[in-house]
PDB file of all heavy atoms in Angstrom:
ATOM      1  N   PRO U  15      83.018  95.200  70.246  1.00 95.00           N
ATOM      2  CA  PRO U  15      82.587  95.226  68.841  1.00 95.00           C
ATOM      3  C   PRO U  15      83.364  94.260  67.999  1.00 95.00           C
ATOM      4  O   PRO U  15      82.991  94.000  66.861  1.00 95.00           O
ATOM      5  CB  PRO U  15      83.020  96.595  68.451  1.00 95.00           C
ATOM      6  CG  PRO U  15      84.120  97.091  69.376  1.00 95.00           C
ATOM      7  CD  PRO U  15      83.768  96.462  70.734  1.00 95.00           C
ATOM      8  N   ILE U  30      86.546  95.195  86.674  1.00 97.00           N
ATOM      9  CA  ILE U  30      87.062  96.560  87.461  1.00 97.00           C
ATOM     10  C   ILE U  30      87.900  96.249  88.663  1.00 97.00           C
ATOM     11  O   ILE U  30      88.972  96.807  88.828  1.00 97.00           O
ATOM     12  CB  ILE U  30      85.867  97.520  87.613  1.00 97.00           C
ATOM     13  CG1 ILE U  30      85.147  97.935  86.338  1.00 97.00           C
ATOM     14  CG2 ILE U  30      86.353  98.741  88.370  1.00 97.00           C
ATOM     15  CD1 ILE U  30      83.913  98.669  86.483  1.00 97.00           C
ATOM     16  N   LYS U  36      95.482  94.882  89.873  1.00 98.00           N
ATOM     17  CA  LYS U  36      96.618  94.847  88.981  1.00 98.00           C
ATOM     18  C   LYS U  36      97.435  96.285  89.134  1.00 98.00           C
ATOM     19  O   LYS U  36      98.659  96.291  88.985  1.00 98.00           O
ATOM     20  CB  LYS U  36      96.027  94.690  87.552  1.00 98.00           C
ATOM     21  CG  LYS U  36      97.191  94.554  86.469  1.00 98.00           C
ATOM     22  CD  LYS U  36      97.890  93.250  86.694  1.00 98.00           C
ATOM     23  CE  LYS U  36      98.929  92.988  85.491  1.00 98.00           C
ATOM     24  NZ  LYS U  36      99.686  91.783  85.734  1.00 98.00           N
ATOM     25  N   ALA U  69      90.293  96.189 101.295  1.00 98.00           N
ATOM     26  CA  ALA U  69      90.553  94.926 101.963  1.00 98.00           C
ATOM     27  C   ALA U  69      91.618  93.967 101.248  1.00 98.00           C
ATOM     28  O   ALA U  69      92.078  93.076 101.821  1.00 98.00           O
ATOM     29  CB  ALA U  69      89.290  94.215 102.133  1.00 98.00           C
ATOM     30  N   THR U  73      98.962  99.313  99.593  1.00 97.00           N
ATOM     31  CA  THR U  73      99.529 100.551  99.331  1.00 97.00           C
ATOM     32  C   THR U  73      98.701 101.440  98.413  1.00 97.00           C
ATOM     33  O   THR U  73      98.747 102.757  98.394  1.00 97.00           O
ATOM     34  CB  THR U  73     100.909 100.476  98.752  1.00 97.00           C
ATOM     35  OG1 THR U  73     100.805  99.806  97.440  1.00 97.00           O
ATOM     36  CG2 THR U  73     101.895  99.625  99.672  1.00 97.00           C
ATOM     37  N   THR U  80      84.155 110.573  90.081  1.00 91.00           N
ATOM     38  CA  THR U  80      83.424 111.720  90.644  1.00 91.00           C
ATOM     39  C   THR U  80      82.640 111.134  91.865  1.00 91.00           C
ATOM     40  O   THR U  80      82.042 110.108  91.699  1.00 91.00           O
ATOM     41  CB  THR U  80      82.738 112.327  89.698  1.00 91.00           C
ATOM     42  OG1 THR U  80      83.447 112.854  88.663  1.00 91.00           O
ATOM     43  CG2 THR U  80      81.866 113.541  90.310  1.00 91.00           C
ATOM     44  N   ALA U  92      79.819 112.301 104.215  1.00 98.00           N
ATOM     45  CA  ALA U  92      80.707 112.487 105.352  1.00 98.00           C
ATOM     46  C   ALA U  92      80.799 111.158 106.104  1.00 98.00           C
ATOM     47  O   ALA U  92      81.905 110.731 106.395  1.00 98.00           O
ATOM     48  CB  ALA U  92      80.133 113.471 106.274  1.00 98.00           C
ATOM     49  N   HIS U 100      88.647 104.844 107.687  1.00 98.00           N
ATOM     50  CA  HIS U 100      89.083 103.916 108.821  1.00 98.00           C
ATOM     51  C   HIS U 100      89.338 102.557 108.271  1.00 98.00           C
ATOM     52  O   HIS U 100      90.451 101.949 108.679  1.00 98.00           O
ATOM     53  CB  HIS U 100      87.924 103.825 109.869  1.00 98.00           C
ATOM     54  CG  HIS U 100      87.867 105.058 110.678  1.00 98.00           C
ATOM     55  ND1 HIS U 100      88.525 105.213 111.909  1.00 98.00           N
ATOM     56  CD2 HIS U 100      87.235 106.279 110.570  1.00 98.00           C
ATOM     57  CE1 HIS U 100      88.298 106.314 112.429  1.00 98.00           C
ATOM     58  NE2 HIS U 100      87.356 107.032 111.623  1.00 98.00           N
ATOM     59  N   ALA U 133      76.376 122.363  94.511  1.00 93.00           N
ATOM     60  CA  ALA U 133      77.814 121.970  94.759  1.00 93.00           C
ATOM     61  C   ALA U 133      78.520 122.953  95.768  1.00 93.00           C
ATOM     62  O   ALA U 133      79.226 122.307  96.577  1.00 93.00           O
ATOM     63  CB  ALA U 133      78.639 122.058  93.469  1.00 93.00           C
ATOM     64  N   PRO U 168      86.374 111.458 110.983  1.00 98.00           N
ATOM     65  CA  PRO U 168      87.484 111.256 110.194  1.00 98.00           C
ATOM     66  C   PRO U 168      88.608 110.640 110.916  1.00 98.00           C
ATOM     67  O   PRO U 168      88.861 110.958 112.126  1.00 98.00           O
ATOM     68  CB  PRO U 168      87.860 112.652 109.608  1.00 98.00           C
ATOM     69  CG  PRO U 168      86.612 113.437 109.563  1.00 98.00           C
ATOM     70  CD  PRO U 168      85.887 113.030 110.815  1.00 98.00           C
ATOM     71  N   ILE U 202      89.548 114.534  79.183  1.00 80.00           N
ATOM     72  CA  ILE U 202      89.445 113.373  78.083  1.00 80.00           C
ATOM     73  C   ILE U 202      88.686 113.756  76.880  1.00 80.00           C
ATOM     74  O   ILE U 202      88.773 113.112  75.859  1.00 80.00           O
ATOM     75  CB  ILE U 202      89.070 112.005  78.661  1.00 80.00           C
ATOM     76  CG1 ILE U 202      87.607 112.130  79.281  1.00 80.00           C
ATOM     77  CG2 ILE U 202      90.060 111.577  79.668  1.00 80.00           C
ATOM     78  CD1 ILE U 202      87.164 110.846  79.740  1.00 80.00           C
ATOM     79  N   GLY U 207      94.312 123.477  75.058  1.00 90.00           N
ATOM     80  CA  GLY U 207      94.185 124.817  75.368  1.00 90.00           C
ATOM     81  C   GLY U 207      93.116 125.171  76.283  1.00 90.00           C
ATOM     82  O   GLY U 207      93.253 125.974  77.241  1.00 90.00           O
ATOM     83  N   SER U 227     102.015 130.176  96.247  1.00 97.00           N
ATOM     84  CA  SER U 227     102.198 130.555  94.784  1.00 97.00           C
ATOM     85  C   SER U 227     101.364 129.868  93.904  1.00 97.00           C
ATOM     86  O   SER U 227     101.003 128.609  94.071  1.00 97.00           O
ATOM     87  CB  SER U 227     103.641 130.665  94.372  1.00 97.00           C
ATOM     88  OG  SER U 227     104.208 129.392  94.436  1.00 97.00           O
ATOM     89  N   GLY U 242     100.620 100.021  71.840  1.00 97.00           N
ATOM     90  CA  GLY U 242     101.123  98.802  71.099  1.00 97.00           C
ATOM     91  C   GLY U 242     102.533  98.825  70.671  1.00 97.00           C
ATOM     92  O   GLY U 242     103.208  99.830  71.054  1.00 97.00           O
ATOM     93  N   ASP U 257      85.644 103.501  67.741  1.00 95.00           N
ATOM     94  CA  ASP U 257      84.507 103.875  66.764  1.00 95.00           C
ATOM     95  C   ASP U 257      83.163 103.493  67.454  1.00 95.00           C
ATOM     96  O   ASP U 257      82.118 104.080  67.044  1.00 95.00           O
ATOM     97  CB  ASP U 257      84.503 103.123  65.495  1.00 95.00           C
ATOM     98  CG  ASP U 257      85.741 103.711  64.606  1.00 95.00           C
ATOM     99  OD1 ASP U 257      86.125 104.839  64.902  1.00 95.00           O
ATOM    100  OD2 ASP U 257      86.167 103.059  63.570  1.00 95.00           O
ATOM    101  N   SER U 272      92.325 112.157  68.657  1.00 94.00           N
ATOM    102  CA  SER U 272      93.688 112.092  69.149  1.00 94.00           C
ATOM    103  C   SER U 272      94.387 113.491  69.003  1.00 94.00           C
ATOM    104  O   SER U 272      95.108 113.852  69.905  1.00 94.00           O
ATOM    105  CB  SER U 272      94.476 111.041  68.488  1.00 94.00           C
ATOM    106  OG  SER U 272      93.946 109.692  68.676  1.00 94.00           O
ATOM    107  N   GLU U 274      92.873 116.392  69.025  1.00 88.00           N
ATOM    108  CA  GLU U 274      92.173 117.516  69.782  1.00 88.00           C
ATOM    109  C   GLU U 274      92.153 117.165  71.329  1.00 88.00           C
ATOM    110  O   GLU U 274      91.870 118.091  71.990  1.00 88.00           O
ATOM    111  CB  GLU U 274      90.803 117.660  69.331  1.00 88.00           C
ATOM    112  CG  GLU U 274      90.657 118.102  67.793  1.00 88.00           C
ATOM    113  CD  GLU U 274      91.322 119.513  67.702  1.00 88.00           C
ATOM    114  OE1 GLU U 274      91.219 120.349  68.556  1.00 88.00           O
ATOM    115  OE2 GLU U 274      91.993 119.798  66.514  1.00 88.00           O
ATOM    116  N   GLU U 287     105.821 110.844  75.524  1.00 97.00           N
ATOM    117  CA  GLU U 287     106.075 112.201  75.086  1.00 97.00           C
ATOM    118  C   GLU U 287     104.831 113.018  75.166  1.00 97.00           C
ATOM    119  O   GLU U 287     104.879 114.294  75.571  1.00 97.00           O
ATOM    120  CB  GLU U 287     106.570 112.040  73.660  1.00 97.00           C
ATOM    121  CG  GLU U 287     106.896 113.443  72.983  1.00 97.00           C
ATOM    122  CD  GLU U 287     107.302 113.271  71.537  1.00 97.00           C
ATOM    123  OE1 GLU U 287     107.370 112.126  70.976  1.00 97.00           O
ATOM    124  OE2 GLU U 287     107.678 114.376  70.875  1.00 97.00           O
ATOM    125  N   TYR U 299     102.347 119.373  87.724  1.00 98.00           N
ATOM    126  CA  TYR U 299     101.211 118.906  88.363  1.00 98.00           C
ATOM    127  C   TYR U 299     101.450 117.667  89.172  1.00 98.00           C
ATOM    128  O   TYR U 299     102.612 117.145  89.090  1.00 98.00           O
ATOM    129  CB  TYR U 299      99.953 118.739  87.381  1.00 98.00           C
ATOM    130  CG  TYR U 299     100.124 117.692  86.299  1.00 98.00           C
ATOM    131  CD1 TYR U 299      99.375 116.571  86.354  1.00 98.00           C
ATOM    132  CD2 TYR U 299     100.954 117.960  85.193  1.00 98.00           C
ATOM    133  CE1 TYR U 299      99.460 115.657  85.220  1.00 98.00           C
ATOM    134  CE2 TYR U 299     101.060 117.101  84.141  1.00 98.00           C
ATOM    135  CZ  TYR U 299     100.221 115.855  84.188  1.00 98.00           C
ATOM    136  OH  TYR U 299     100.429 115.008  83.202  1.00 98.00           O
ATOM    137  N   PRO U 340     110.528 122.292  89.765  1.00 96.00           N
ATOM    138  CA  PRO U 340     111.262 123.132  90.679  1.00 96.00           C
ATOM    139  C   PRO U 340     111.124 122.648  92.138  1.00 96.00           C
ATOM    140  O   PRO U 340     110.150 122.013  92.506  1.00 96.00           O
ATOM    141  CB  PRO U 340     110.592 124.527  90.589  1.00 96.00           C
ATOM    142  CG  PRO U 340     109.927 124.495  89.159  1.00 96.00           C
ATOM    143  CD  PRO U 340     109.453 123.104  89.084  1.00 96.00           C
ATOM    144  N   SER U 360      96.724 123.037 111.652  1.00 95.00           N
ATOM    145  CA  SER U 360      96.830 123.123 110.195  1.00 95.00           C
ATOM    146  C   SER U 360      95.668 123.804 109.593  1.00 95.00           C
ATOM    147  O   SER U 360      94.542 123.616 109.970  1.00 95.00           O
ATOM    148  CB  SER U 360      97.219 121.780 109.463  1.00 95.00           C
ATOM    149  OG  SER U 360      96.058 120.972 109.450  1.00 95.00           O
TER     150      SER U 360
END
Side-chain angles (χ1 to χ4, degrees):
I30 294 171
K36 187 68 171 180
T73 62
T80 299
H100 285 271
I202 59 175
S227 61
D257 289 344
S272 297
E274 296 297 326
E287 181 180 3
Y299 61 109
S360 72

